[in-house]
Amino acid sequence: MSAIGILGGGQLGRMLALAGHPLGHSFVVLTPERDAPAAAVAETIVADYDDPRALAALAARVEVVTYEFENVPAAAVATLSPRVPVRPGGEALVVASDRLNEKARFRELGIPTAPFASVESAAELEAAVRDIGLPGVLKTRRLGYDGKGQRVLQSRRDVEGAFTGLGAVPLLYEGFVAFRRELSIVAVRGLDGEVAFYPLVENRHEGGILRFTRAPAADVPAALQARAEGYARALLESLDYVGVLALELFDDGTELLANEIAPRVHNSGHWTIEGAETSQFENHLRAILGAPLGSCAARGQSAMINLIGDAPDPLAIQAVPGAHLHLYGKAPRPGRKLGHVTVTAPDAATLDARVEQL
Ligand code: AMP
């Protein structure tokens, strides 16, 4: 039974706390937001992440601190670290909060990626487009999420003004990948270095936001799963990582190209609550507390559908066999993730029928 601190009070923090309560743990969340989704299931300190008094109060109340988003200020981790362990550590944040660092780490570890170049001026964008070609994707290095802070450049016309259009901040230009499908792997590393991997899942995005996850992904030969695990293992070990990490991959039919990592529990792992032997949330808590990891094996077939923008009719969802509703306690707003539904089934045909019904 431990007291655990979480930086961030969104739905990921909420689901971490929900996973920890049956194990007897308690939670203190630091968030600048009043009525954050996690506040319903955790004690809350409402303050900015770099508020020294709030950080001291958090450190005094918990045995370990984790985070549920990657844009935690480095200074917050630096303030906390001498007082209380922060897991995963600061290096994971430095790498994962900047797309250039991330891509550089993939390259160092021999993990394939789309061609990429750093862009810090309109002239550098011209040079990058000359080297890499069109189409491509121009992304802000920091603070991009759910398709925000990026645009696809199709033609010369799109290149004009794109640097200033994204705010004249440090950018990354990468070649457009004509992928066959998007996959991700959620992996976990314990305090003693033990690693475990969930099966590869297939993700569908619209407008840059995850809409749908199929778990396990169909048509995954053992060699493909092993390749993804090898990449995830290399990342976990190079970062001396403790906790759950997600790696997003493009499958172009020949190669798996790494797109980005999330140093935290991930939306493409929500299916594990009902669909795996141990959820990603429980495994993250086990890892940061030094407990043995739980099995990542799938129980049958699952699909996860994000509820975005509008509140659905809960009764209609619960009328579908195998459907499990998760609401995050957020007010509806266009483009906002309000919850998700995981549908489970013993086999793929039954799953398809249930998803169709939903
Ligand atoms: P990201 O924020 O990097 O995860 O990008 C959001 C989504 O945009 C991805 O899940 C893809 O669907 C798409 N995307 C990002 N980068 C590329 C790329 N280099 N080529 C093709 N599609 C991309």
Side-chain angles (χ1 to χ4, degrees):
M1 297 212 294
S2 305
I4 298 164
I6 306 177
L7 300 174
Q11 64 264 22
L12 300 179
R14 177 177 170 114
M15 288 185 273
L16 281 168
L18 286 170
H21 284 302
L23 302 171
H25 304 314
S26 60
F27 294 83
V28 183
V29 159
L30 173 61
T31 169
E33 209 190 327
R34 271 179 207 288
D35 303 320
V41 289
E43 242 186 276
T44 311
I45 300 173
V46 179
D48 287 330
Y49 295 114
D50 52 7
D51 178 331
R53 282 177 49 195
L55 290 167
L58 180 68
R61 304 242 286 268
V62 300
E63 284 149 56
V64 59
V65 171
T66 190
Y67 42 86
E68 54 119 57
F69 72 117
E70 49 272 49
N71 297 313
V72 172
V77 177
T79 306
L80 286 169
S81 295
R83 307 179 198 189
V84 63
V86 180
R87 297 178 184 140
E91 195 191 351
L93 281 177
V94 170
V95 172
S97 63
D98 181 322
R99 291 183 189 274
L100 184 64
N101 294 348
E102 215 167 52
K103 288 282 189 319
R105 181 61 61 106
F106 294 148
R107 189 173 273 174
E108 262 167 54
L109 295 172
I111 301 171
T113 66
F116 65 88
S118 163
V119 168
E120 299 208 14
S121 65
E124 283 187 3
L125 177 58
E126 288 294 337
V129 170
R130 223 171 17 248
D131 288 348
I132 293 169
L134 290 164
V137 188
L138 189 62
K139 304 176 174 180
T140 58
R141 277 172 54 181
R142 293 182 53 79
L143 301 172
Y145 67 99
D146 286 350
K148 296 186 177 70
Q150 60 179 273
R151 52 168 82 172
V152 177
L153 307 187
Q154 299 281 5
S155 66
R156 286 289 329 157
R157 259 219 327 251
D158 299 334
V159 179
E160 312 292 321
F163 178 71
T164 42
L166 279 172
V169 292
L171 303 174
L172 186 77
Y173 182 68
E174 55 187 56
F176 191 87
V177 180
F179 52 79
R180 191 162 72 85
R181 57 182 178 171
E182 291 190 74
L183 301 173
S184 61
I185 186 162
V186 173
V188 55
R189 183 165 181 267
L191 203 50
D192 62 356
E194 178 192 6
V195 290
F197 306 93
Y198 289 93
L200 276 165
V201 301
E202 178 169 353
N203 300 314
R204 289 187 215 138
H205 294 83
E206 269 169 51
I209 304 187
L210 182 68
R211 302 278 158 166
F212 183 84
T213 296
R214 173 92 186 212
D219 303 323
V220 174
L224 193 69
Q225 175 74 24
R227 203 186 312 163
E229 289 185 8
Y231 297 159
R233 180 191 292 271
L235 286 162
L236 290 170
E237 287 175 356
S238 92
L239 295 167
D240 195 16
Y241 197 91
V242 177
V244 162
L245 170 144
L247 171 62
E248 293 185 23
L249 300 155
F250 298 129
D251 179 2
D252 69 0
T254 318
E255 275 192 305
L256 287 179
L257 304 173
N259 178 35
E260 65 174 350
I261 50 183
R264 52 174 167 79
V265 287
H266 191 248
N267 198 167
S268 74
H270 290 0
W271 65 277
T272 59
I273 296 175
E274 291 89 9
E277 290 293 334
T278 315
S279 79
Q280 64 165 347
F281 302 99
E282 180 175 339
N283 256 337
H284 184 72
L285 298 176
R286 288 185 185 219
I288 64 171
L289 291 168
L293 303 180
S295 163
C296 294
R299 300 196 266 217
Q301 302 279 319
S302 302
M304 190 284 313
I305 295 129
N306 269 341
L307 303 174
I308 296 169
D310 263 336
D313 172 8
L315 300 187
I317 289 173
Q318 290 169 97
V320 178
H324 305 272
L325 176 62
H326 298 256
L327 294 174
Y328 306 151
K330 292 175 164 179
R333 194 195 298 155
R336 198 173 200 202
K337 289 178 183 169
L338 302 180
H340 73 270
V341 182
T342 297
V343 186
T344 56
D347 57 74
T350 311
L351 184 69
D352 288 341
R354 290 176 176 180
V355 169
E356 190 57 36
Q357 190 183 343
L358 194 74

